[in-house]
Amino acid sequence: MEDRRYVITLSCPDRTGVVARISGFLADAGAWITEAGYHSDADAKVFCTRQVIDAASVPYGVEELRERFGEVAVELGGTYRISDTGRRKRVVLLVTRESHCLHDLLGRVWADELPVEVTKVIGNHDVLEPLVTAHGLPFHHVPFPGPRDEAREQGKVAAFQQVRELVDADDPDAIVLARFMQVLPAHLCEAWAGRAINIHHSFLPSFAGARPYHQAHTRGVKLIGATCHYATADLDAGPIIEQDVIRVDHGDTAADMVRRGRDIERLVLARGLRWHLEDRILVQGNRTVVFR
Amino acid sequence: MEDRRYVITLSCPDRTGVVARISGFLADAGAWITEAGYHSDADAKVFCTRQVIDAASVPYGVEELRERFGEVAVELGGTYRISDTGRRKRVVLLVTRESHCLHDLLGRVWADELPVEVTKVIGNHDVLEPLVTAHGLPFHHVPFPGPRDEAREQGKVAAFQQVRELVDADDPDAIVLARFMQVLPAHLCEAWAGRAINIHHSFLPSFAGARPYHQAHTRGVKLIGATCHYATADLDAGPIIEQDVIRVDHGDTAADMVRRGRDIERLVLARGLRWHLEDRILVQGNRTVVFR
Amino acid sequence: MEDRRYVITLSCPDRTGVVARISGFLADAGAWITEAGYHSDADAKVFCTRQVIDAASVPYGVEELRERFGEVAVELGGTYRISDTGRRKRVVLLVTRESHCLHDLLGRVWADELPVEVTKVIGNHDVLEPLVTAHGLPFHHVPFPGPRDEAREQGKVAAFQQVRELVDADDPDAIVLARFMQVLPAHLCEAWAGRAINIHHSFLPSFAGARPYHQAHTRGVKLIGATCHYATADLDAGPIIEQDVIRVDHGDTAADMVRRGRDIERLVLARGLRWHLEDRILVQGNRTVVFR
Amino acid sequence: MEDRRYVITLSCPDRTGVVARISGFLADAGAWITEAGYHSDADAKVFCTRQVIDAASVPYGVEELRERFGEVAVELGGTYRISDTGRRKRVVLLVTRESHCLHDLLGRVWADELPVEVTKVIGNHDVLEPLVTAHGLPFHHVPFPGPRDEAREQGKVAAFQQVRELVDADDPDAIVLARFMQVLPAHLCEAWAGRAINIHHSFLPSFAGARPYHQAHTRGVKLIGATCHYATADLDAGPIIEQDVIRVDHGDTAADMVRRGRDIERLVLARGLRWHLEDRILVQGNRTVVFR
């Protein structure tokens, strides 16, 4: 088992002495820094940092650390967050029919490779229910109206309301759209800003929208990819967390690309989610700083 | 030195017995096949092949092979080409100010890694002239009108006419736009169809057009790339030959991306050009079959 | 569902007319070739091919095809195999404590991405039993003697005998050592030659043997990898099927490498197993020809 | 042109307050930190950092900075170095017959992508002289005795003595073995410790020694690579700076691997050299910390 850590992230206007102020505070507290990342954005004149502290080295608790460090953050004109690895993070998964991302994440949780509690899985179809219950986790089926349903818009609004209630009841640290094939309404993107993580099955900004592998096949690209990003009201345009690609060639049909692309989707989502849960990501406008 | 080879490429409607017909012909000729690639496109019902033959195994010359195999191709309703590695291929390079692709290709030619004759280099600026003449190759400076020139369009037409004459005088097997920063007019794309090879400094179709690295930086992508493609009248939309990417992160400025991207541009262009010169590429609509 | 295919693989001494003989035979049978790969090894003078045939295009059954094609193979002095995708292949998995490869494969089978029947999973520990039974598959626990057991060698012999009986009872097309941490005895390597597939957690031949990630950390390499290979009596030295790597840096501890390496092990094993099951691999001495 | 920077690197025993001490010193000096990297090695209890300072923000010169920061370093029990980007670094290149690494580096210097002065190139053969003189650089031919020369050992000693004098006369920041096919004697490894950079044409520790691509071909690996490392008396075993790989398959002969591997050698050496010149590398035992 890992030792308990406090993870501090801060962003503030850049100026001389910022690092000295932060590290001076930590030194005074006797804090042992086990990991530290710094980034100065020269264009935006913004400074970002992530500091990992051995909890045992600090003579007071996380609440007092938040309070005391909060004063430093105010002084620096910044925003900060302090996370305690002693509290297990909570995750809700949203799915449709594709099993690969769900199955991959459940395996990582089972092996304790991803140290989270999956509080529930919500599906707009129920085909993945057996996978979820086999892991002893609750599955909630929230049916969505089909494309030819009367009162389709109304039905969607009601379904999303139900999803929202199920999600918000757990106050999760991450809401993962693990190949959830419904577009989140703007009010949910806003309510879950910085917590809703989507995996898109293309190397964005190429092939946004529907059937990206078929678009990729038609265009004849030589690499296909996947993109993990924060969900925003502007579909497929949120801050990118992670991307990766694999090589394809003329022998790959669109169906081959769909199959082979799953391997990249799995990995890219798992990496992105891990970094999010470890507080490695700071969003700056539409870009992310990822302290790896 | 490599042994002399004949390289046959053919595409035709797919049907039972195509391979038997071709390989039967080659067996009758006593041809020793050293390399062979086959591809059936199930959607388009098109068959493509590339066969490499030991020239010494065929009892007649390349002209007679062309004639005889031509009859097979007619019978199969296909189009074919037979290339003789005993004839050194000719290449013309078009450049502007960026030296990296030019320098890389010249190095490969110098080391005989790329077995071609560069008959000339044409630049719309003259800054790269010393690099070219240091390799003992002819450099032609064809100045283009600037953005604020009067009679700009007229000047461009004249400049491109001069470029065309310089190129066509050598009847090259490849015209390489090695970071040539002028858009080829449609009539040149047509005249040089299947021979004009461009390197675009992004992972197309992302970031077509100008300043792709700056676009990539703004969008916050985690990989940047380059694309080698045949030049067509529809800018940055021609059949893709090769692509590759490298990882970037939040610490990379747009200028870093420009610098780091050069390494990918070099490689992707060199690979694409090699495959073109080795007759490994068959264009099918807007896609390429690359027999590697 | 995919259409039924016959997959022919053949290797024989290379000579003029081999392709003509094979394709002539197929054309006479009216066989529609949907996929074909050819390879001539110039050093060994060996020719290898893989041909995929639409079963519906052949006027007789697979047994007759085997008989008829067998005559061609004899004539060419080669060895061949014909596989029928209409018969679902059988796989037995051997595991120890690490869940990631097992879980990954089970997910692919569940989603029918890997079209096989896992007939049983055998573990020398029982910690993975719940994962297996959750998928409705039989798990067999065959305990092995510990390092300090008296009569250790004897116990191992008995345990391996039990494993062998469990495996051979199913006559599987592949025996997958999915992070099975026991060295197969020579007689099993021989009995299962060309069917036993191992995943080694390093980029072989670097770091053969125990604790490869710790070896990699000590040596300070910048990439770590995994290798999928056929098991042979010479440990970690069998014909390599597939390898891949990921980047690590000074910030990665040996434990990080263990965790991050799992993602490569999963993928490399899944790819290698798929190619094996699709009859894409021909072993030539200690090297593999992989028709992708 | 880039602004002038001071680059501080320091390693010292890790303890609470190290960052505070350093950043406090820099804040007091009014230093504007443009880039910063930190690394704590938990096993060795060693702290490493690299800080890039805007030279214009410091009220005194680099000599005074060295003196003042030296006191901090002594206090922390560490070793440090401060580099001034206002002074152009000097590089000597050692070559044999292979042109690709040499040519690549010369191109980067020509384009000012690598901001160094190549003071001379030394070759134990003279075939590369034209490439060097074409770039207006001095080439020194130091012939080495052949394998069948009498008095071979003696001749080698004399030749290396001449190389040493030529190198040391320039007091270079880096001595690059750009495919220099002679083993450096131990006294030179020692004299040039931390400055002599070698490119080995395999993914070390696989295939150390001679003809690595032929070894790789025989073993049937699916990826080949290159390794940039500091030269040490223990051949091919020095601290690794950078590595990379490319995919090969059964169709690649050993000669193909030699050719294709050059692209990786070029890139890996160019990256490693850049990081060295930018003071991004700290050697810790036989491992490197690379602040990218």
Side-chain angles (χ1 to χ4, degrees), chain A residues 8 10 17-33 38 47 49 51 53 58-60 65 68-69 72 75-76, chain D residues 15-28 33 38:
Chain A
I8 305 172
L10 167 98
V18 174
V19 179
R21 185 68 190 89
I22 298 164
S23 57
F25 167 83
L26 292 173
D28 289 348
W32 178 273
I33 304 171
Y38 297 83
F47 171 83
T49 187
Q51 309 267 339
I53 304 299
V58 182
Y60 38 77
L65 178 64
R68 288 176 180 233
F69 188 80
V72 177
E75 192 188 312
L76 296 171
Chain D
R15 64 168 173 78
T16 303
V18 174
V19 180
R21 185 67 189 91
I22 298 165
S23 57
F25 167 82
L26 292 174
D28 290 347
I33 303 171
Y38 296 83

Side-chain angles (χ1 to χ4, degrees), chain A residues 38-39 41-43 203-207 216-224 229 236-245 247-253 257 271 275 286-292, chain B residues 38-39 41-43 203-207 216-224 229 236-245 247-253 257 271 275 286-292:
Chain A
Y38 297 83
H39 174 65
D41 186 314
D43 298 327
F203 181 68
L204 290 173
S206 289
F207 313 131
H217 186 263
T218 300
R219 181 60 188 92
V221 291
K222 300 299 185 186
L223 299 164
I224 55 171
H229 64 93
D236 297 333
I240 293 171
I241 299 170
E242 171 64 341
Q243 302 186 291
D244 215 337
V245 293
R247 192 161 278 275
V248 291
D249 70 19
H250 57 267
D252 287 294
T253 62
M257 290 184 183
R271 271 188 233 142
W275 296 340
N286 203 42
R287 309 174 74 237
T288 59
V289 173
V290 181
F291 290 114
R292 279 183 297 174
Chain B
Y38 296 83
H39 174 64
D41 186 315
D43 297 328
F203 182 68
L204 289 173
S206 288
F207 314 130
H217 186 262
T218 300
R219 181 61 188 91
V221 291
K222 299 300 185 185
L223 299 165
I224 55 171
H229 64 94
D236 297 335
I240 293 172
I241 299 170
E242 170 64 341
Q243 302 186 289
D244 215 336
V245 293
R247 193 161 275 277
V248 291
D249 70 19
H250 58 266
D252 287 294
T253 62
M257 291 184 183
R271 271 188 234 143
W275 297 338
N286 203 41
R287 310 174 74 238
T288 59
V289 173
V290 181
F291 290 114
R292 277 184 297 172

Side-chain angles (χ1 to χ4, degrees), chain D residues 94 160 163 175 177 180 182-189 192 196-197 231-233 235:
Chain D
L94 306 192
F160 268 121
V163 169
I175 301 107
L177 286 64
F180 180 64
Q182 295 284 337
V183 178
L184 280 198
H187 72 92
L188 280 188
C189 290
W192 299 341
I197 293 174
T232 56
L235 187 65

